[in-house]
Amino acid sequence: MPHTEAGMVVGLFGGSFNPPHQGHRLVAEIALRRLRLDRIWWMVTPGNPLKDNGHLRPLGERLAAVEALAGGPRVDVTAFEAAHRIRYTAETLALLRQKRPGVRFVWIMGADSLASFHRWQDWRRIVATFPIAVVDRPGSTLSVLSAPMAQAFAYARLAERKAAALPFRKPPAWVFLHGPRSPVSSTVLRSGGG
């Protein structure tokens, strides 16, 4: 688990990153800037319980690829979920809340993940644990408002112009961030189309 100090604002950007690409990097850069994060953790997961992991590259290979893509002075790349044998995001967030109580964490996700977010294990607990930043992705802009999470927690949505306040809001709290977008996806790259 990367080093933190009490009072820090840290973005949590988790995924399989199979492979990582420019679209992921844009999501991370937008979150860093707009949320005024001290650090962002790219959390490379052992695997996604909702996806076919048959084509999943080895964890060490994905970690190296993320490190090559994501490098920066405020970036940490980690696979601590594998070390703790964690499968679900809700478990990861509970562990962080316990181990790092003085840190302000924000869960970061691309808008393309929001459509299936309600299928995640204990998704309502995730929303209640830390604030969430949803970053626009191509083809997902209009579907954001119809996503079950967006509808269930519409009252907790922060205006985009107030995004920097999100880490200091008590959950549930979330924001939808617009910015530059890349059409690249891991699925397209795996199929040889990117």
Side-chain angles (χ1 to χ4, degrees):
M1 200 176 289
H3 173 76
T4 57
E5 294 179 16
M8 288 180 75
V9 178
V10 177
L12 304 171
F13 186 33
S16 302
F17 303 116
N18 188 43
H21 55 73
Q22 188 59 29
H24 293 132
R25 186 175 174 148
L26 278 172
V27 166
E29 288 172 353
I30 290 166
L32 260 169
R33 187 177 69 252
R34 301 285 304 282
L35 301 174
R36 299 184 187 154
L37 303 174
D38 294 312
R39 310 223 33 104
I40 187 166
W41 294 1
W42 286 59
M43 301 187 313
V44 184
T45 65
N48 184 332
L50 294 176
K51 293 183 179 176
D52 174 10
N53 292 309
H55 299 288
L56 193 63
R57 304 299 306 159
L59 183 60
E61 197 175 299
R62 290 182 287 125
L63 268 169
V66 169
E67 288 172 352
L69 175 75
R74 297 185 297 161
V75 174
D76 294 296
V77 178
T78 181
F80 75 87
E81 290 170 305
H84 289 274
R85 299 176 197 262
I86 294 174
R87 283 193 66 201
Y88 300 108
T89 300
E91 295 170 350
T92 300
L93 302 188
L95 177 69
L96 289 171
R97 180 182 244 171
Q98 175 191 15
K99 299 281 187 189
R100 306 287 171 89
V103 175
R104 294 188 179 276
F105 288 108
V106 177
W107 181 255
I108 298 162
M109 60 196 274
D112 50 334
S113 296
L114 191 62
S116 63
F117 185 69
H118 64 286
R119 294 178 49 219
W120 293 22
Q121 181 84 20
D122 294 327
W123 70 275
R124 289 179 182 273
R125 186 164 55 126
I126 295 169
V127 177
T129 304
F130 295 131
I132 297 173
V134 180
V135 182
D136 198 11
R137 290 279 293 139
S140 301
T141 306
L142 297 177
S143 63
V144 166
L145 296 179
S146 63
M149 183 283 235
Q151 291 183 348
F153 292 95
Y155 69 92
R157 183 177 175 188
L158 192 63
E160 186 172 3
R161 70 183 184 283
K162 297 180 180 179
L166 181 71
F168 304 95
R169 293 292 174 108
K170 182 179 178 184
W174 67 285
V175 69
F176 182 64
L177 300 175
H178 295 85
R181 300 180 303 169
S182 168
V184 178
S185 76
S186 294
T187 305
V188 169
L189 290 174
R190 283 193 304 275
S191 68

